[in-house]
Amino acid sequence: PPFREVDITLGCSYLGEDGGGLLRVLGGSASEHPATLVLRGVSVRDDGNLDDVTEYKVPQENPDSSSPIVFEVSAQSVPIPHAESLLHADCDGEEVNCEISPYSSQGAGEGPCRPSWFMATLQLPSRISIALVLRGPHCFSQEEEEEHDATLHPKLRIPMSKEGTVLTTVEFQSSSCNTSLHAHLGSSVTLDCHFALAPSSSISSLEWRRQHRGSGRSLFWYQVGSTGPAAQPKVHVDVTELLGSGDASLSLQGVSVGDEGTYICLVSTPLHQAQHTIQLRVAAPPRVHMIPAVVSFERDVMTLTCNIAGYYPLDVSVSWTQKTPEDEVEIPLSNVHFSSHRQSRDGTYSITSYLSISSATVQAPATYSCHVSHVALAEPISVSAQLKVPEQTGSGLVGGFIATIIFVVVLFIVLRRR
């Protein structure tokens, strides 16, 4: 479809605390202030549903210290990623979480009136995260204010436009389309991380780190101009794509339980840094087996065994039911006990559940079922054992017949003697 330039307007929060040059974690701050982010002239696919999209009009009233801060953003040199998702978020029933904060750019000018920088972080419930490094106007000294007749924003104390907005340009953007990811044991997965820079800037380094349970380590590190990253088992970043198209994604082969954790993609330029976090969760579905599959009473109490093995994570739900021909629904059972959890070398778990049934309280035929639920299963697994009606064997019939003959003979002899 053809493309069309539109304005994307997002309701945001401005956080006065300095972001420290890194992508902030969404969550609020004591200095929170209402803001509006206006992405001007963003190119999106025109699928025929853009007739109602209009150009953003700046409010006419003069802003004061309590008015929302309006950031007008030009993205002519750096494209806005996932623009269609941002534009259609309301129609898709999603809310974009947006925060804007001051940004400390490394070495971006000296003195008290260096350029102002901001970091805008956007997150969609559909697991998309975006970071925009925005270059704002220079501040003015008191003499320059008088010379240029500049109007300062009442909240930020930097020059604002005649309409009362803060004019900015995108100098650097990074994004990820999977902030949370699930992978099955033994599979391969790609952790998405992309970036784009203004023509005047260039990437200096890329690092991938993994954190889990309070500890962390570097998985991949590459600095532009070096001989290349050291080969790492299981992980791979295509350096050609990194330098050519801004694809910093990490490929992870043969996922194991030990790969679970929080992955951090940190992209650096001489002036900027931005990071994205991706939560990787590993799952393995359980294997379920019932012993025995067919039950016939040879003693007063029988025990059914349900073996559940090879699952991860630990949480698993096991229940038992009974159903006879007279029952319309399965009847839950409570006379159940469990073994302790066991962990194998590959990190997966197993457990055994036991059901005791007594010949004095059950009625054959009946079906006993073990039901297992786990996060790695689309639906519960059920396995069953059949309790059959006791059958008289041939030897039993012969024994009964012989006993009857003996009884009749003995009775006949006793009666004749009388």
Side-chain angles (χ1 to χ4, degrees):
F3 283 80
R4 174 181 166 185
E5 291 188 352
V6 299
D7 292 343
I8 300 177
T9 305
L10 303 172
C12 304
S13 297
Y14 176 77
L15 306 180
E17 183 181 355
D18 196 320
L22 295 178
L23 176 63
R24 295 181 52 85
V25 178
L26 296 174
S29 169
S31 59
E32 188 171 328
H33 190 85
T36 301
L37 185 69
V38 183
L39 305 175
R40 290 289 196 186
V42 179
S43 182
V44 297
R45 292 181 179 86
D46 188 354
D47 55 2
N49 296 320
L50 300 181
D51 294 339
D52 296 334
V53 178
T54 58
E55 182 181 354
Y56 175 78
K57 300 295 183 182
V58 179
Q60 296 299 317
E61 64 271 11
N62 293 325
D64 55 32
S65 58
S66 61
S67 302
I69 306 171
V70 179
F71 291 86
E72 288 194 78
V73 179
S74 171
Q76 296 301 315
S77 59
V78 179
I80 300 298
H82 308 287
E84 285 86 0
S85 297
L86 295 174
L87 178 64
H88 300 300
D90 288 343
C91 297
D92 295 338
E94 294 187 322
E95 180 180 357
V96 180
N97 294 317
C98 171
E99 288 186 353
I100 304 173
S101 60
Y103 179 88
S104 295
S105 180
Q106 306 173 25
E110 301 295 338
C113 288
R114 60 186 181 180
S116 53
W117 294 84
F118 301 92
M119 172 75 83
T121 62
L122 316 175
Q123 284 194 355
L124 282 82
S126 57
R127 302 176 180 177
I128 294 174
S129 67
I130 302 169
L132 304 176
V133 177
L134 309 176
R135 182 187 179 102
H138 288 71
C139 70
F140 288 149
S141 64
Q142 184 173 358
E143 293 78 9
E144 289 175 323
E145 289 180 27
E146 296 175 357
E147 179 182 351
H148 292 83
D149 193 24
T151 303
L152 299 184
H153 192 279
K155 177 71 175 177
L156 303 180
R157 306 308 300 170
I158 60 176
M160 64 180 183
S161 67
K162 295 180 180 179
E163 291 78 17
T165 65
V166 178
L167 301 178
T168 65
T169 58
V170 180
E171 295 291 315
F172 174 34
Q173 59 90 346
S174 64
S175 65
S176 176
C177 65
N178 47 19
T179 56
S180 181
L181 205 59
H182 290 79
H184 281 282
L185 200 66
S187 66
S188 298
V189 66
T190 298
L191 309 181
D192 179 72
C193 186
H194 284 75
F195 69 93
L197 302 167
S200 59
S201 185
S202 61
I203 182 175
S204 59
S205 67
L206 168 69
E207 183 180 18
W208 276 94
R209 297 186 60 84
R210 174 183 169 271
Q211 293 182 345
H212 190 54
R213 297 179 179 175
S215 63
R217 69 183 184 93
S218 179
L219 298 175
F220 178 91
W221 185 81
Y222 173 70
Q223 185 169 7
V224 176
S226 65
T227 56
Q232 297 285 343
K234 298 181 60 172
V235 300
H236 175 71
V237 174
D238 191 326
V239 176
T240 302
E241 290 295 324
L242 171 71
L243 301 177
S245 63
D247 186 354
S249 302
L250 179 78
S251 297
L252 185 62
Q253 307 294 324
V255 173
S256 65
V257 169
D259 294 322
E260 191 171 63
T262 300
Y263 288 75
I264 302 171
C265 173
L266 178 60
V267 181
S268 301
T269 75
L271 295 180
H272 314 113
Q273 282 186 330
Q275 71 177 24
H276 290 275
T277 59
I278 301 174
Q279 186 69 37
L280 178 63
R281 294 180 173 86
V282 179
R287 303 183 302 273
V288 185
H289 181 60
M290 175 84 80
I291 301 175
V294 178
V295 182
S296 59
F297 276 105
E298 298 176 357
R299 47 188 181 272
D300 292 339
V301 177
M302 286 287 295
T303 299
L304 299 179
T305 302
C306 185
N307 291 318
I308 305 104
Y311 58 89
Y312 187 88
L314 178 64
D315 292 338
V316 65
S317 175
V318 183
S319 62
W320 289 81
T321 58
Q322 168 192 292
K323 191 173 188 298
T324 65
E326 290 77 20
D327 297 325
E328 294 184 359
V329 296
E330 295 181 297
I331 309 300
L333 301 175
S334 58
N335 51 329
V336 177
H337 60 282
F338 295 87
S339 69
S340 59
H341 284 280
R342 304 176 295 275
Q343 190 170 21
S344 60
R345 291 184 178 180
D346 64 359
T348 60
Y349 296 95
S350 62
I351 195 173
T352 305
S353 179
Y354 305 94
L355 172 69
S356 297
I357 54 178
S358 172
S359 60
T361 58
V362 300
Q363 179 182 359
T367 301
Y368 291 89
S369 300
C370 173
H371 309 280
V372 178
S373 299
H374 188 264
V375 67
L377 296 172
E379 57 185 22
I381 294 178
S382 298
V383 293
S384 301
Q386 304 297 324
L387 175 62
K388 291 190 173 183
V389 177
E391 297 180 359
Q392 291 183 328
T393 62
S395 59
L397 293 174
V398 172
F401 177 74
I402 295 175
T404 303
I405 295 298
I406 294 174
F407 175 76
V408 172
V409 171
V410 171
L411 181 62
F412 177 74
I413 294 173
V414 171
L415 293 176
R416 287 198 58 172
R417 289 181 177 178
R418 291 182 178 177

